[in-house]
Amino acid sequence: MDIKFTNRLSYKQARLTVLVGFILGTLLSLIQIGIDYASEDASINREVQALLQISHDPASRIAYNIDAELAQELTGGLLQSPAIIRARLIDNNDTVLADVHRPRQEDSYRPLSDFLFGEQRQFKDRLFLAHMPDDYLGTLYLDVDTYAFGSRFLDRAGITLLNGFARSLVLTGILLGLFYIMLTKPLVTVIGALSGSDPRQPGQTRLDYPNGHEHDEIGVLVKVANQQFVSMATEIQQRRNAENRLTQYLNELEDIVSARTEELKASNSRLSQSNEELEEARRRALDMAQARAAFLANMSHEIRTPLNGMLGMIALALDSGLNAEQRQQLSIAHDSGKVLVELLNDILDLSKFDAGQLELERIPFDMGAMVEDTANLLSQNAAPSVELTCLIAPDFPSSVLGDPTRVRQIVSNLLSNALKFTRFGRVDLRLSSIVGGVRLEVCDTGIGIPEEAQVRIFQPFTQAGAGITRQYGGTGLGLALTRNLCKAMHGHLHINSQTGFGSRFSADLPLPTHTEAVPPAPLKGQVVALSNASSGLAELLHGLLPSWGLDYQRRDDASGLDGMAIDLLITDDTEHLFELRPGINAPILLVTAYGNFLPAEQTAQLAPLHQQARPLARNALYQMLRRTLQGENATPAPSEVGRLLERRAQILLVEDNPVNQLVAKGMLAKLGCQVQVAAHGAEALEILEREGFDMVLMDCNMPVMDGYEASRRIRQSGRWPDLPIVALTANAMPEERERCRAAGMNDYLAKPFRREELLALIDHWVPVSG
Ligand code: ADP
């Protein structure tokens, strides 16, 4: 390693030493020069005094003799001295005997000499003779030029200084060499060895001691460096080991990471694959849901169209002259058709729940009557040995607020199950008020439901046991729908059942009271019931008759009735009926199971005999009692048809299906409307051109031109802007309503429609003129 000369330690050391030596030398030289100066200064006076002493005697004699010539000689002699520049001898009369002088020496160092010693000095010597010391003879004056001494002194001082410098210079060189040999060279050797050595290399951890420096500071330095080398080498070795371990760990880590990455990649690809599968499944599910919706719509259309025809025809037939039995048969056929429609609606409703599209109405309705109607409708499903009874609390409100259609669905689902799963005993439908609403209970003495199945059966398409479908049929939809409906009304559905002992379903619905119960006008009379104490009939009559003001008694058999004043005998015992008649004159009300009315000839034998089918409805019973006990005829309800007969609304019916044409035409004619029929949209447009109408009833799906297109054209033409168009369609899906509205139709009537619905529509869209 090359170090600049001026940076070398030896140079710095030498420079310092020399600097100190130089300063000291200069100081010593200056002291020496000072001493020399003092001695030179003294020597001037001493030498001139010596000269004066030497000259004293001759000068005294000259002055004594007043010898100018000798005086001249003496002063001239004195002037020979290099320092004397003037000599003057005067006698005691101040007569100048001699006065000699010469110019002083000029030189460039003179000012310095003059500064040190003064420019010149004057000496005088009083002259006298030794034997007459008191006699003043004259004075010898000497002017001394100090430069003669000063130049000598300056020469010596210069030499002294130069000498000092020269010594310093030599000393510097010697010291430089010595320091180089003693310090720099071994240090440079050590530095070279240090910089050439690499502690990372094994075996490179020793420096050699420079010769002769084994025990001095350099030796110690080398020793310490060697120790440091050893510890560094150890440390480097340890680090290397640690580094190796680290590298090993890193490699292992890398291996793990790459393995994990591979795993991740694999699971990623699995994930994306299953994602794709999921997406595919979702798409398929959506497609299926759409297909299901379309299927439901189509199915509902396909089923409703013939149903519409069937129900319409039956309704028309019901309006014609029929005997009681035919009427009952037809009305049951009509009701069954309606049940079928409701079943269809169940399926649609469930799909609506799934789609979250169920909307609930809130209108007043007579729930008691509705429950009786429903029970009456379903009574045909009751097994022969099952007694179906509607037990409505006497204080039950006349009307409550809610959605009658949906409540009817709940009643009919629970009741049809009870009837289906009960072969013997009773099925009771109870209705009572609870705080904030109503309680509907359906109790049966049927097969019951095992406890473990009681949760399961509320799932769609689920039944209590494997054999249920085979034995009883059913789809497993009813309870799911019922529970959803209760939930939607913020109510609760409870179940209580024991296998073999029957079931009790109880729905608590928060339906507020709209109109409180109105007790009917009290009746008068003695009524006796012949019925088993545990029968539904006995319970019903016990609850109702006393509250209507009647005297009521129940008997197990007819013994003891003879001679008793009875106004009416009510019984459900057909077997012993014929034994009764001779002994009892009172009219008899026979309560029979559905379809078990006695034939006409037997009725004639037992006259006066009234027959009513189970379940007894409160109103029907009341009217019958009034007629029988008070001989009054019940006032028939005012005929809505009568109102309409004056209307004679002009209706254009656009419908391709001949059966539906017949049904709608029949209903409209009954409502007093004049009807024109068009088989498709194009024909309707033609007829509209010719004649004026109050309303168009438009089927949606027709050949040639469908109802949507026809409605669009009617609206586009702008000629009949206020003409109401009401869609008639079997498709009950919500999208369908929207579609109709978009085509320009004003309202919507789902097929099969009832006469009341049609009437309400006409009422709404065709205002009574005049
Ligand atoms: P479905 O009656 O069409 O099978 P539901 O959802 O109405 O469907 O009823 C589900 C199941 O619950 C029935 O299959 C039956 O096993 C059981 N269940 C419902 N009500 C009763 C009942 N009153 N008595 C006995 N089992 C019943």
Side-chain angles (χ1 to χ4, degrees):
M1 185 178 287
D2 199 19
I3 301 174
K4 210 174 143 193
F5 177 72
T6 49
N7 286 344
R8 288 191 178 175
L9 205 57
S10 50
Y11 168 76
K12 286 184 183 171
Q13 189 100 13
R15 192 179 56 182
L16 256 180
T17 317
V18 166
L19 189 71
V20 172
F22 177 75
I23 292 169
L24 271 175
T26 309
L27 268 178
L28 286 174
S29 296
L30 284 176
I31 291 169
Q32 196 179 346
I33 289 168
I35 292 167
D36 192 26
Y37 167 73
S39 101
E40 192 64 39
D41 194 46
S43 83
I44 295 173
N45 292 346
R46 211 170 44 244
E47 276 188 29
V48 175
Q49 287 298 345
L51 204 61
L52 280 176
Q53 235 172 0
I54 295 167
S55 316
H56 181 76
D57 279 347
S60 297
R61 261 183 235 113
I62 291 168
Y64 186 72
N65 294 324
I66 313 169
D67 188 345
E69 207 173 323
L70 276 174
Q72 198 69 36
E73 249 178 63
L74 180 70
T75 55
L78 283 170
L79 212 58
Q80 290 305 306
S81 172
I84 310 294
I85 55 166
R86 190 178 174 188
R88 200 158 43 109
L89 185 65
I90 56 169
D91 64 9
N92 50 2
N93 293 323
D94 291 336
T95 309
V96 177
L97 296 176
D99 185 2
V100 289
H101 59 84
R102 61 181 169 93
R104 62 179 201 170
Q105 194 184 339
E106 290 300 336
D107 195 60
S108 55
Y109 293 111
R110 182 157 193 116
L112 181 61
S113 174
D114 287 352
F115 170 74
L116 289 170
F117 295 102
E119 205 172 321
Q120 61 182 53
R121 296 185 194 180
Q122 200 170 47
F123 293 87
K124 62 181 181 182
D125 186 26
R126 188 171 167 272
L127 298 173
F128 58 87
L129 288 174
H131 54 278
M132 309 184 290
D134 299 328
D135 290 335
Y136 170 63
L137 296 177
T139 308
L140 178 63
Y141 290 96
L142 286 180
D143 286 356
V144 175
D145 182 10
T146 55
Y147 185 63
F149 298 94
S151 65
R152 222 168 49 204
F153 166 74
L154 285 177
D155 286 347
R156 271 199 317 274
I159 288 166
T160 308
L161 281 175
L162 276 176
N163 191 19
F165 285 139
R167 266 191 313 208
S168 293
L169 214 65
V170 172
L171 193 67
T172 306
I174 293 168
L175 283 176
L176 202 64
L178 281 176
F179 284 138
Y180 178 74
I181 294 164
M182 291 296 294
L183 209 61
T184 311
K185 200 175 163 199
L187 276 176
V188 167
T189 314
V190 172
I191 289 168
L194 270 176
S195 55
S197 68
D198 184 357
R200 285 166 299 182
Q201 302 288 321
Q204 280 263 344
T205 50
R206 271 207 71 79
L207 292 184
D208 292 332
Y209 292 94
N211 274 342
H213 290 282
E214 288 80 3
H215 304 294
D216 61 11
E217 286 86 342
I218 294 173
V220 173
L221 180 72
V222 171
K223 195 174 158 192
V224 171
N226 279 341
Q227 282 172 355
Q228 291 294 337
F229 268 143
V230 172
S231 64
M232 268 166 78
T234 318
E235 199 169 311
I236 285 171
Q237 191 53 43
Q238 284 172 351
R239 283 202 184 171
R240 199 167 282 159
N241 290 346
E243 233 168 60
N244 286 345
R245 280 202 302 277
L246 207 68
T247 318
Q248 198 183 337
Y249 287 146
L250 274 178
N251 287 341
E252 285 171 14
L253 205 68
E254 241 168 54
D255 289 348
I256 292 171
V257 167
S258 60
R260 290 275 152 84
T261 314
E262 280 308 310
E263 273 174 33
L264 266 176
K265 262 188 203 161
S267 68
N268 251 355
S269 69
R270 277 200 303 276
L271 211 67
S272 52
Q273 194 185 338
S274 61
N275 259 353
E276 277 167 21
E277 283 168 9
L278 268 177
E279 182 55 34
E280 174 64 24
R282 196 183 74 92
R283 217 163 26 79
R284 244 183 291 139
L286 279 177
D287 288 350
M288 276 166 69
Q290 266 174 7
R292 193 177 65 169
F295 171 75
L296 282 175
N298 285 338
M299 277 301 286
S300 74
H301 177 79
E302 295 307 323
I303 298 171
R304 275 161 194 265
T305 308
L307 256 183
N308 187 26
M310 200 176 83
L311 287 177
M313 284 306 179
I314 295 173
L316 285 179
L318 272 173
D319 283 339
S320 56
L322 297 170
N323 66 32
E325 199 176 353
Q326 284 170 326
R327 183 171 302 282
Q328 193 188 11
Q329 287 164 349
L330 271 187
S331 55
I332 286 171
H334 191 255
D335 293 344
S336 305
K338 286 206 275 188
V339 171
L340 202 58
V341 172
E342 273 161 25
L343 217 147
L344 190 68
N345 286 340
D346 272 6
I347 298 174
L348 284 174
D349 282 345
L350 258 184
S351 71
K352 272 188 204 167
F353 269 116
D354 289 347
Q357 291 170 341
L358 188 94
E359 285 164 21
L360 287 174
E361 272 189 307
R362 195 178 154 87
I363 53 169
F365 69 100
D366 184 347
M367 185 168 170
M370 187 270 275
V371 162
E372 286 170 333
D373 275 358
T374 313
N376 187 32
L377 205 77
L378 294 176
S379 64
Q380 57 189 302
N381 302 341
S385 312
V386 170
E387 183 187 15
L388 169 61
T389 320
C390 286
L391 297 161
I392 297 163
D395 62 345
F396 193 81
S398 289
S399 62
V400 293
L401 278 177
D403 188 327
T405 319
R406 302 304 177 185
V407 175
R408 182 191 288 274
Q409 268 178 296
I410 295 176
V411 177
S412 116
N413 285 338
L414 294 178
L415 188 58
S416 53
N417 274 348
L419 293 171
K420 185 159 72 168
F421 296 108
T422 309
R423 291 286 183 252
F424 309 97
R426 280 174 64 171
V427 170
D428 298 328
L429 223 163
R430 293 171 193 273
L431 211 51
S432 55
S433 299
I434 54 167
V435 179
V438 302
R439 172 169 295 164
L440 167 80
E441 286 169 285
V442 180
C443 311
D444 66 59
T445 53
I447 60 169
I449 304 163
E451 197 160 340
E452 75 277 2
Q454 287 179 14
V455 178
R456 188 157 30 94
I457 51 173
F458 293 102
Q459 302 296 325
F461 303 106
T462 312
Q463 298 183 319
I468 295 283
T469 322
R470 191 171 13 88
Q471 208 179 337
Y472 298 95
T475 53
L477 278 180
L479 283 183
L481 187 63
T482 306
R483 198 179 60 166
N484 281 346
L485 284 170
C486 289
K487 251 198 215 163
M489 291 178 194
H490 306 291
H492 300 282
L493 180 64
H494 304 286
I495 174 175
N496 207 321
S497 180
Q498 216 181 340
T499 321
F501 288 92
S503 313
R504 178 175 162 273
F505 285 88
S506 153
D508 287 349
L509 304 174
L511 305 178
T513 301
H514 180 259
T515 319
E516 292 292 348
V518 187
L523 301 171
K524 247 181 86 187
Q526 174 75 47
V527 180
V528 174
L530 276 185
S531 179
N532 194 307
S534 62
S535 71
L537 180 67
E539 192 177 343
L540 174 86
L541 296 177
H542 178 75
L544 284 180
L545 300 193
S547 72
W548 289 343
L550 293 166
D551 287 333
Y552 165 71
Q553 289 182 20
R554 185 198 64 79
R555 298 287 171 93
D556 282 328
D557 51 50
S559 56
L561 286 182
D562 290 348
M564 195 175 156
I566 300 174
D567 298 310
L568 177 70
L569 183 77
I570 304 178
T571 182
D572 53 0
D573 183 358
T574 326
E575 265 180 49
H576 301 101
L577 197 58
F578 292 94
E579 299 158 19
L580 284 176
R581 197 27 111 194
I584 295 169
N585 296 323
I588 297 176
L589 169 62
L590 175 64
V591 182
T592 59
Y594 160 77
N596 285 4
F597 277 2
L598 295 178
E601 60 274 21
Q602 288 185 354
T603 316
Q605 280 176 34
L606 293 168
L609 177 79
H610 305 278
Q611 297 189 72
Q612 280 200 354
R614 276 200 291 262
L616 281 186
R618 292 163 307 163
N619 193 37
L621 180 65
Y622 179 83
Q623 298 300 343
M624 186 266 143
L625 287 171
R626 205 156 78 150
R627 277 199 304 274
T628 314
L629 298 176
Q630 294 169 9
E632 274 182 32
N633 271 330
T635 27
S639 160
E640 65 220 351
V641 181
R643 269 191 293 132
L644 278 174
L645 278 172
E646 295 132 34
R647 182 190 304 270
R648 308 212 66 76
Q650 307 283 320
I651 309 275
L652 174 59
L653 173 70
V654 193
E655 166 72 67
D656 60 321
N657 185 313
V659 180
N660 288 349
Q661 277 179 9
L662 258 178
V663 173
K665 218 172 147 183
M667 274 195 199
L668 287 166
K670 286 233 163 60
L671 292 174
C673 303
Q674 283 196 339
V675 189
Q676 263 277 21
V677 180
H680 50 77
E683 196 180 328
L685 283 169
E686 274 173 35
I687 299 175
L688 266 178
E689 293 287 341
R690 293 197 307 267
E691 292 171 49
F693 290 92
D694 295 318
M695 183 167 92
V696 181
L697 289 177
M698 181 78 80
D699 184 26
C700 289
N701 298 311
M702 288 178 295
V704 186
M705 184 191 288
D706 64 19
Y708 310 110
E709 181 58 28
S711 305
R712 259 193 296 276
R713 293 206 184 176
I714 291 172
R715 294 297 178 226
Q716 274 164 12
S717 75
R719 294 184 48 198
W720 308 281
D722 300 324
L723 178 66
I725 306 176
V726 176
L728 297 181
T729 172
N731 186 345
M733 302 302 274
E735 310 87 74
E736 185 60 24
R737 291 188 192 203
E738 207 28 62
R739 203 172 157 202
C740 293
R741 208 157 282 154
M745 301 192 218
N746 303 75
D747 211 338
Y748 172 97
L749 188 59
K751 288 194 270 188
F753 45 84
R754 285 177 293 135
R755 192 164 3 144
E756 304 82 68
E757 289 170 327
L758 191 59
L759 175 69
L761 253 174
I762 298 171
D763 247 354
H764 182 77
W765 290 109
V766 188
V768 185
S769 50

